[in-house]
Amino acid sequence: MARNVPLFALLLLVLSALSASLVDAREHGQPSLVLPLLDSLEQGLRFFTENTASVNVDGMFALRLTQGQLVDIRNDTRVWDSLSSEIQDKITAMIEIPDAIYAETHAQMAQFKPAYFALFLPALTRPVHVDWRRQSLNLPTWDIVSETADYVMSQQAQTVHNYTETDICYSNILSNSKCAISKVCVNMLMRPNKKQYASTHQLLYTQMAEIQGCSEELERSLQKWYAKSVDDVKEDLCRNIYKDASIVYARTNPASTLSDIFLEQNAVCLSAGFIEFLRFDWLSAVLSWQRMNGCFGLEVDDANPVTGRRLLMERSMGGGCGSHISGLAAAYLSSFLKNLLSLL
């Protein structure tokens, strides 16, 4: 049975060649990948500025994560000083966009889903910065053909995710200045081998703790109850997410109802610095999903945008475009850019 080549080794070879290409291109004023990435991101952000009436909380959170990734690029002196003035100007301009979007949209978000808006408010008012360090996963090889068959068998059950539980855990972190970490939420975080939103929301819980400055308390709780570190848990989660994303990718290109989760899988693990997610075949697929107006979504009726996301979390922006999936695409592109530039 055919097996994957060692992806990390292949990735390093590709990145080495790409790095040389980008440096050479930058010297001639024409970065071969950075500018197209920025153009796609800029187009996506512009779509939001033109459709503020239908931005939802999840879309706004993704835009704040996007903003945080761009601010991190600007604050990295080594990377920033190596960029052309054209690229610096583009990034600087895009950093300001989420502030303008929030100013125009916060009132309607609060009215649309008041309780959900209140839950996430601390993460909506400023750039979202999560702990990042360039790191790699100890990836096993696996048989993607037979794994895909197993995945199809289990997908139905895994797609039904207990949002209420994770929402409560997020609320405990975001609304409590004392960094209350409950055993229930640590148990949720440590459930093994979850798929789709269940696994990405486990990782998001660690990032919510980072946003609120509660990483040390989470570390103490994990050590106390599981003898694990936050870094260990994040690596385990992203290793599992990478395997899941690889199988999802095999079933979601071209775009399908799994596109939303595929973007979320990539955005959360790239924002943590796992460079195995710097897959250029995956990037190419995502860029091909973007519509001419900058949004992402599927051809469905506007009242019910089908993205694999429950309706509370997704909101139509017209023409089959979704707020959550379009925001995730922005977060993915900005995280890809940050990780790519860190390697040059």
Side-chain angles (χ1 to χ4, degrees):
M1 191 69 71
R3 291 186 177 271
N4 286 352
V5 298
L7 289 173
F8 183 55
L10 179 60
L11 177 66
L12 288 178
L13 289 173
V14 172
L15 285 172
S16 177
L18 180 66
S19 176
S21 171
L22 281 171
V23 170
D24 179 68
R26 187 170 59 221
E27 289 174 353
H28 293 84
Q30 295 292 326
S32 57
L33 182 58
V34 173
L35 277 174
L37 258 175
L38 284 172
D39 288 342
S40 178
L41 179 57
E42 184 178 39
Q43 189 179 13
L45 292 176
R46 188 182 307 117
F47 171 79
F48 274 98
T49 66
E50 295 168 353
N51 295 273
T52 54
S54 50
V55 176
N56 73 347
V57 168
D58 279 34
M60 190 67 236
F61 175 79
L63 292 178
R64 288 303 195 185
L65 177 58
T66 300
Q67 186 181 35
Q69 297 294 291
L70 295 176
V71 170
D72 289 346
I73 293 172
R74 186 179 63 185
N75 290 344
D76 186 332
T77 303
R78 182 191 67 81
V79 168
W80 189 251
D81 290 346
S82 72
L83 299 176
S84 69
S85 58
E86 178 186 8
I87 292 175
Q88 289 180 348
D89 290 345
K90 281 180 174 287
I91 292 174
T92 299
M94 285 191 288
I95 285 172
E96 305 302 323
I97 292 176
D99 291 335
I101 293 172
Y102 181 77
E104 288 195 31
T105 198
H106 71 276
Q108 67 83 11
M109 283 192 296
Q111 184 176 14
F112 183 64
K113 295 289 182 183
Y116 196 61
F117 176 78
L119 168 65
F120 281 97
L121 183 59
L124 300 179
T125 58
R126 61 187 189 272
V128 166
H129 296 279
V130 297
D131 291 350
W132 175 92
R133 63 182 176 87
R134 189 168 65 239
Q135 54 194 313
S136 61
L137 303 167
N138 181 23
L139 288 174
T141 58
W142 66 86
D143 184 340
I144 197 167
V145 175
S146 60
E147 288 281 359
T148 301
D150 293 339
Y151 181 88
V152 172
M153 294 291 290
S154 65
Q155 180 187 348
Q156 191 74 23
Q158 291 283 359
T159 301
V160 181
H161 169 53
N162 186 354
Y163 288 95
T164 301
E165 180 182 52
T166 52
D167 285 355
I168 291 172
C169 290
Y170 294 163
S171 178
N172 288 343
I173 289 268
L174 293 174
S175 64
N176 193 322
S177 60
K178 296 182 180 179
C179 295
I181 306 290
S182 72
K183 181 71 180 295
V184 170
C185 293
V186 173
N187 289 343
M188 175 276 296
L189 175 62
M190 295 302 295
R191 287 185 194 126
N193 302 318
K194 303 302 289 184
K195 297 186 188 299
Q196 294 197 18
Y197 297 107
S199 59
T200 57
H201 284 204
Q202 287 173 307
L203 183 60
L204 278 167
Y205 179 70
T206 71
Q207 294 180 327
M208 293 295 179
E210 293 161 7
I211 291 168
Q212 288 299 93
C214 297
S215 293
E216 290 185 3
E217 181 60 34
L218 180 58
E219 180 82 19
R220 283 193 291 270
S221 299
L222 282 168
Q223 292 285 357
K224 175 183 176 181
W225 291 317
Y226 285 92
K228 299 275 281 187
S229 71
V230 173
D231 286 344
D232 289 340
V233 170
K234 288 165 72 173
E235 183 177 341
D236 289 345
L237 287 171
C238 280
R239 187 180 299 113
N240 180 54
I241 290 170
Y242 184 86
K243 180 178 179 179
D244 197 26
S246 299
I247 298 168
V248 168
Y249 173 71
R251 303 187 63 238
T252 194
N253 194 21
S256 76
T257 56
L258 293 173
S259 302
D260 184 274
I261 182 55
F262 182 73
L263 286 166
E264 184 162 307
Q265 290 166 329
N266 277 270
V268 294
C269 287
L270 272 173
S271 66
F274 291 101
I275 62 171
E276 280 83 0
F277 288 82
L278 276 178
R279 288 274 300 266
F280 298 100
D281 53 340
W282 292 3
L283 174 65
S284 177
V286 170
L287 292 177
S288 75
W289 302 341
Q290 189 172 30
R291 301 184 179 197
M292 292 296 291
N293 64 358
C295 85
F296 287 76
L298 295 174
E299 294 291 349
V300 293
D301 101 59
D302 286 345
N304 296 288
V306 177
T307 63
R309 187 79 166 162
R310 82 171 170 172
L311 290 181
L312 176 60
M313 307 299 187
E314 186 55 283
R315 188 178 185 185
S316 172
M317 300 184 78
C321 301
S323 176
H324 180 258
I325 190 172
S326 297
L328 280 178
Y332 164 68
L333 292 172
S334 59
S335 298
F336 195 105
L337 179 66
K338 175 182 171 180
N339 281 273
L340 177 64
L341 291 175
S342 77
L343 291 165
L344 299 186

